Amino acid sequence: MAALVKEQPLVLKYHNGVLLKGTITVNLIWYGKFTPIQRSIIVDFLQSLNSPKSPAPSAATWWKTTEKYKTGASTLVVGKQILDENYSLGKSLKNSHIVYLASKGGHIGRPVNLVLTAKDVFVDGFCMSRCGTHGSTRGKIRFAYAWVGNSETQCAGQCAWPFHQPIYGPQTPPLVAPNGDVGVDGMIINVATVLAGAVTNPFNNGYFQGPATAPLEAVSACTGKFGSGSYPGYPGQVLVDKSTGASYNAHGVNGRRFLLPAMWDPSKSACSTLI
């Protein structure tokens, strides 16, 4: 009988607020030690979101779904990069520290200042309730910011799944990370999640479902879905590189491949995967 119950369509309500559209600068604040290769993977991902030349299925096609939200397209460009390799605020951060670090990116134009914390940095709520987040400052100078942590050594089973055994649920074998770095490939999934949320719900009055204090947004409403046929504990059918065994569903710049989560498609009122 359960199979006969029709699933209700997922609807993210638009709350009439401002969305981030046009050209948006993503300023990066690297907190802690990242290798040059790790930084290049994330920068390549961000540049891939604005690259029509990548073969299909592409990261740019994935990002184009945000155009279906009211008021049109948003183009992300990588702005300044600030390196804080000496842990200027220590290795245990509160949300106020994240906002302080994000402010170093400035507020000229329409930025999203993205704070990325290294694998040995603990952030309040990290692993327990979140793998990344986004928000906005208050007052005269308002800008959107986001944070994602490297979960390689803290909670890879939660924040780097499906590249690591899950903490809960069915123990399916982990997928092979497309860029050979479980922590950073996991970060890509969470960067994708918070950036989609930042442009479609930047000031807590855009697109979301549920309470504004704990909203389901463009990607977080579609958790755990990466390909067709997904169900809890199974990411769905994705592409596999025959030589390395790495799993992916999106091509990017410089020959990169990524695994990107489903995004809610307003034209279908459903979570849509690239594959």
Side-chain angles (χ1 to χ4, degrees):
M1 287 295 290
L4 299 176
V5 177
K6 194 161 192 263
E7 195 175 333
Q8 291 295 314
L10 175 67
V11 177
L12 300 193
K13 186 183 174 190
Y14 178 49
H15 295 78
N16 300 313
V18 174
L19 308 183
L20 296 184
K21 296 297 172 182
T23 300
I24 297 155
T25 303
V26 181
N27 298 309
L28 300 173
I29 297 91
W30 302 93
Y31 189 82
K33 289 183 170 61
F34 289 87
T35 68
I37 291 173
Q38 288 177 322
R39 293 201 301 268
S40 71
I41 293 168
I42 291 177
V43 170
D44 282 351
F45 167 64
L46 295 172
Q47 292 178 333
S48 297
L49 298 176
N50 185 29
S51 173
K53 295 178 182 177
S54 302
S58 71
T61 301
W62 178 85
W63 185 253
K64 277 180 78 71
T65 302
T66 62
E67 292 182 19
K68 299 180 183 180
Y69 291 71
K70 284 187 187 296
T71 68
S74 56
T75 302
L76 300 184
V77 296
V78 177
K80 64 178 82 168
Q81 297 189 55
I82 297 164
L83 270 59
D84 187 338
E85 294 185 307
N86 296 320
Y87 306 89
S88 63
L89 301 175
K91 291 187 177 181
S92 184
L93 304 181
K94 297 176 180 171
N95 197 57
S96 57
H97 294 137
I98 297 296
V99 177
Y100 172 78
L101 290 169
S103 69
K104 292 177 177 290
H107 51 83
I108 304 300
R110 277 176 294 186
V112 176
N113 294 339
L114 176 59
V115 178
L116 300 161
T117 51
K119 63 185 179 182
D120 55 350
V121 176
F122 176 79
V123 177
D124 266 2
F126 190 22
C127 300
M128 289 179 286
S129 60
R130 58 188 185 165
C131 305
T133 190
H134 75 90
S136 61
T137 56
R138 300 182 182 280
K140 284 184 180 178
I141 300 170
R142 281 195 100 177
F143 65 85
Y145 65 87
W147 157 76
V148 169
N150 184 334
S151 65
E152 180 190 339
T153 56
Q154 295 188 56
C155 52
Q158 182 178 338
C159 295
W161 183 84
F163 304 126
H164 191 281
Q165 289 289 126
I167 296 176
Y168 311 109
Q171 296 297 303
T172 49
L175 304 182
V176 177
N179 296 288
D181 188 317
V182 168
V184 172
D185 278 304
M187 288 181 83
I188 295 292
I189 294 170
N190 297 311
V191 168
T193 301
V194 298
L195 287 180
V199 299
T200 59
N201 185 31
F203 304 117
N204 250 13
N205 54 10
Y207 279 88
F208 63 89
Q209 183 187 55
T213 50
L216 289 175
E217 299 177 323
V219 174
S220 61
C222 305
T223 299
K225 299 178 180 184
F226 296 89
S228 60
S230 64
Y231 54 82
Y234 172 59
Q237 292 183 321
V238 296
L239 301 173
V240 178
D241 183 286
K242 287 177 182 171
S243 60
T244 64
S247 293
Y248 66 98
N249 61 6
H251 292 275
V253 300
N254 298 325
R256 292 273 186 213
R257 291 167 173 174
F258 308 104
L259 188 68
L260 299 182
M263 191 188 307
W264 185 73
D265 185 332
S267 66
K268 300 175 183 173
S269 286
C271 293
S272 182
T273 57
L274 275 171
I275 295 175

